[in-house]
Amino acid sequence: MSKRSLMPILVPAVVGIVAVVAIIFGGRWALITWIDTHEDADGAVRMATRMGLVLFDGDEVVYGEVTSSFPDSSAYLVVQTRSPERLTALLARSGFPPPTEIDTAHDRFRPTDRHGPEPSPTLVRSERRKSGDYLTAIWDPVLRPRTVHLSAIET
């Protein structure tokens, strides 16, 4: 019996392993490159403003975050106003419809350790859609009537 060479099997196996490793690390690099989340209050305000959010002097952005991704980008803001009436005015001038109650048992929202609203049975939400862009406001008119948590998504 003659010995068969392992080369016809070994070379494609090594090439296959190298290709799989390249795909895994290349895919990870692409995801990190295409999806970038960072704190940026000014960038978050700019994005939300392009979508119709109207802030006035005295409306303080206490946290802002931008997520750049393909094909959709988003922003998250926490805004504090001087008074509950001022919060109502911010929502009205930004074109938000009347709020609806949130089912805290079933609705999911950003965790408090990531600047989300504190769970409460009095949380409300209002959503505004325009040309594929979405603005969502969540606030608690009873416990925190001056603070609104805003999500802005560009599609």
Side-chain angles (χ1 to χ4, degrees), residues 90-104:
L90 179 151
L91 296 166
R93 71 180 170 255
S94 299
F96 281 97
T100 58
E101 291 181 9
I102 292 177
D103 181 356
T104 55

Side-chain angles (χ1 to χ4, degrees), residues 50-67:
R50 280 194 313 267
M51 289 187 236
L53 180 67
V54 181
L55 297 175
F56 283 152
D57 287 336
D59 296 336
E60 181 185 2
V61 177
V62 294
Y63 179 77
E65 176 182 290
V66 173
T67 300

Side-chain angles (χ1 to χ4, degrees), residues 27-81:
R28 182 175 178 269
W29 172 83
L31 281 175
I32 290 170
T33 301
W34 288 339
I35 301 173
D36 174 37
T37 299
H38 58 279
E39 278 189 44
D40 181 1
D42 293 336
V45 168
R46 279 192 302 275
M47 184 181 296
T49 300
R50 280 194 313 267
M51 289 187 236
L53 180 67
V54 181
L55 297 175
F56 283 152
D57 287 336
D59 296 336
E60 181 185 2
V61 177
V62 294
Y63 179 77
E65 176 182 290
V66 173
T67 300
S68 304
S69 64
F70 178 79
D72 305 324
S73 294
S74 64
Y76 181 79
L77 303 130
V78 179
V79 178
Q80 287 186 340
T81 61

